[in-house]
Amino acid sequence: MNVFSACIKDSKNNIIIDFKKKLKDILKIHIKNKEIQTVLENYFLEAQLKNIKSHGIKRLPLIIKRIQNKSINTKPKIKKKWEGSKLIIDADNTLGHYAMILAIREIKKNINKKKTISCIIKRSTHFGYSGYYSSKIANFNCISFVTSNGPSLMSPVGFKEPIVSNSPLSISAKIEQNKFFEL
């Protein structure tokens, strides 16, 4: 590695460290739940590193506003229930990011006991980009499908009323250690 490459690498590392510190400071002000803080730190760092502008750090002001107006619960009482291979989580109006990570932890505990697992999360908020979660699940050596529902926002050609949602869908599979197919 030449001196120029080393400087660029060092500069990137400093930018990442600065980003993480500033993010942590902002989250501490608005969210007292350290587990939720950590989930958001990890999510926003990966979104930033993957250059996902639509669902990255630009969404943080909206999240903070919703926390301030109490439409996001940062002290949730999460309820989890298994019905065969189906996991149902009542997220108590908390952040979708946090609800998804809790679901992934629960799936990890049970993935070897079941051939397929479906998970339904109700009463949570927006969860960001779905590929973040599908790759985490695919890391358990399985194929992962992650989707979410949303309100009707788009009108097909010729319609006046919105009837179509822009709900995300992500499919992931592990290719090799720390490498994933992510669609």
Side-chain angles (χ1 to χ4, degrees), residues 49 67 114 177 181:
L49 290 171
I67 288 168
K114 304 177 186 301
Q177 190 67 21
F181 165 80

Side-chain angles (χ1 to χ4, degrees), residues 16-17 19-29 31-49 56-57 60 63 95 97-98 101 129 132-133 136:
I16 292 168
I17 290 166
F19 175 82
K20 285 173 72 171
K21 184 182 178 336
K22 287 175 184 171
L23 178 60
K24 190 175 208 126
D25 291 344
I26 291 167
L27 292 173
K28 277 184 188 177
I29 293 168
I31 301 171
K32 303 306 174 211
N33 183 318
K34 290 190 186 313
E35 194 173 10
I36 293 176
Q37 285 176 18
T38 301
V39 166
L40 287 177
E41 286 171 28
N42 293 336
Y43 171 82
F44 283 122
L45 178 61
E46 184 166 319
Q48 191 71 15
L49 290 171
I57 196 69
L60 185 57
I63 290 171
L95 287 151
H97 310 76
Y98 181 57
I101 293 300
Y129 76 98
Y132 179 73
Y133 310 103
K136 288 189 176 309

Side-chain angles (χ1 to χ4, degrees), residues 67-106:
I67 288 168
Q68 289 171 335
N69 73 21
K70 301 204 183 326
S71 63
I72 293 178
N73 181 2
T74 58
K75 297 177 186 174
K77 292 176 178 59
I78 307 289
K79 295 177 188 154
K80 298 178 252 181
K81 180 172 81 172
W82 282 95
E83 292 179 358
S85 290
K86 179 172 61 175
L87 171 61
I88 302 169
I89 295 180
D90 181 336
D92 194 23
N93 292 319
T94 196
L95 287 151
H97 310 76
Y98 181 57
M100 280 297 298
I101 293 300
L102 293 179
I104 291 167
R105 289 177 189 160
E106 193 68 20

Side-chain angles (χ1 to χ4, degrees), residues 6 9-10 12-13 18 24 28 48 56 68 70 85 92 96 99 103 106 110 120 123 128 136 158 160 183:
K9 185 175 181 185
D10 187 50
K12 276 186 178 179
N13 287 339
D18 288 346
K24 190 175 208 126
K28 277 184 188 177
Q48 191 71 15
Q68 289 171 335
K70 301 204 183 326
S85 290
D92 194 23
E106 193 68 20
N110 290 279
I120 298 166
R123 296 194 322 134
K136 288 189 176 309
K160 292 181 183 178
L183 174 67

